[in-house]
Amino acid sequence: MLQWSDCSGQVGSEMLSLALGEGSGLTRASAPPGATLLVGGRNLPAGEQVLVSLNGESLASAVADESGRFCLSVPVPEGLLPDVYTLAVAARPSGAASEARFAIRTD
């Protein structure tokens, strides 16, 4: 079972919940354009490709290491207007996937 966590492997109550099972999360539920999100995970097969997208636009990818972990620094694109977007994370070839609402803010 894939578990999403921050890059230290910790999952905290302030993290954005993703429907990929126990321990799901990202480091933020909202951010301004230009910010960086940390997205991490564990319990994947070694070599699994991980893709992160925002409203269908690919933002970052990684490959799970020999222990089934990955860590991504995901840039929030510049120029986005404040709104709620769909943040999606998918692993291939296993097909593990999830999406969550992610707010872009400018305050």
Side-chain angles (χ1 to χ4, degrees), residues 1-4 17-25 89-91 95-99:
M1 174 179 71
L2 171 61
Q3 292 182 322
W4 301 102
S17 177
L18 295 173
L20 278 174
E22 184 179 336
S24 300
V89 183
S98 183
E99 58 184 45

Side-chain angles (χ1 to χ4, degrees), residues 3-18:
Q3 292 182 322
W4 301 102
S5 63
D6 70 10
C7 290
S8 68
Q10 301 299 310
V11 176
S13 60
E14 75 284 358
M15 292 181 173
L16 178 64
S17 177
L18 295 173

Side-chain angles (χ1 to χ4, degrees), residues 28-32 37 102-105:
R28 298 178 171 186
S30 66
L37 303 174
F102 182 80
I104 298 298
R105 58 177 172 71

Side-chain angles (χ1 to χ4, degrees), residues 2 7 14 31 39 46-47 51 62 75 87-88 90 94-95:
L2 171 61
C7 290
E14 75 284 358
V39 181
L51 307 169
L87 181 69
S94 71

